[in-house]
Amino acid sequence: CLFQTVTRNQVVSSLSPNGNTDSANGAVWGWRILSHDAPFTEGVDRDNTDWTKAIVIMTDGENTVSSSSTHWKSDLTSYGFATESRMGIGVNSASKMRDEIDNKLLRTCYRMKQEGYLVYTIMFDLNSSSVEKIFRACATEPKAPYFYSAATSDDLKKAFGNIAADLVDLHISK
């Protein structure tokens, strides 16, 4: 029996990105985890003014849905196939689903902010005016410390450091 030794760097180098981006789904799950409502009831009740809830939404890509030449018109997503129109009447193609994911993210952020959540957004290594527009609108305010476009890993570390500092300042001021 022959065994081959493979290093971590070889394994990491062999990986390639594949799949789609769905920032709205991530934002909704973050909101669920922070909420006091089911399925995660451990969160502090929204009426408890001793706590401030904050969420960080980060992306390295535009929201996407892969189209398909099959009768389904898309790959399977968390919303089903395009032809099932589970995202709404007329949302029956990959491009329409992508647009609806963008809209869903904006609606989710709006509702979180209405409930008093602080929403921080970060674009990482991404040059996209459409994502920037959405992420600025999604953030509590369209500028630092709530919105960041981090081009490098050092920028990303700085963004998270600034968000942490803002949350500490908020805690101390209370």
Side-chain angles (χ1 to χ4, degrees), residues 106 113 121 123 131-144 147-149:
L106 289 169
K113 292 185 286 189
T121 60
M123 293 173 35
V131 174
E132 182 173 338
K133 181 179 178 183
I134 292 167
F135 269 54
R136 281 186 185 277
C138 206
T140 295
E141 292 181 17
K143 60 183 182 186
F147 168 79
Y148 292 93
S149 180

Side-chain angles (χ1 to χ4, degrees), residues 75-145:
D75 286 346
L76 181 62
T77 71
S78 57
Y79 312 103
F81 293 102
T83 55
E84 296 175 298
S85 296
R86 290 185 185 177
M87 295 184 79
I89 296 171
V91 183
N92 57 6
S93 69
S95 64
K96 288 178 182 179
M97 288 178 80
R98 181 199 49 80
D99 292 344
E100 185 56 29
I101 291 170
D102 288 346
N103 292 332
K104 183 180 176 101
L105 176 60
L106 289 169
R107 288 190 307 270
T108 300
C109 290
Y110 174 80
R111 290 180 61 199
M112 285 190 293
K113 292 185 286 189
Q114 289 298 108
E115 289 185 11
Y117 287 65
L118 295 178
V119 180
Y120 298 89
T121 60
I122 303 172
M123 293 173 35
F124 176 61
D125 192 23
L126 179 62
N127 184 13
S128 169
S129 60
S130 62
V131 174
E132 182 173 338
K133 181 179 178 183
I134 292 167
F135 269 54
R136 281 186 185 277
C138 206
T140 295
E141 292 181 17
K143 60 183 182 186

Side-chain angles (χ1 to χ4, degrees), residues 144-164:
Y146 300 104
F147 168 79
Y148 292 93
S149 180
T152 67
S153 58
D154 286 341
D155 294 338
L156 185 60
K157 288 177 191 175
K158 184 176 179 182
F160 275 108
N162 290 343
I163 290 169

Side-chain angles (χ1 to χ4, degrees), residues 19 26 39 46 63 72 137 152 168:
R46 73 175 58 109
N63 288 321
W72 294 109
T152 67
V168 167

Side-chain angles (χ1 to χ4, degrees), residues 6-27:
V6 179
T7 67
R8 182 179 342 156
N9 288 340
Q10 288 172 314
V11 171
V12 170
S13 296
S14 72
L15 299 175
S16 63
N18 187 9
N20 295 302
T21 297
D22 183 348
S23 299
N25 213 357

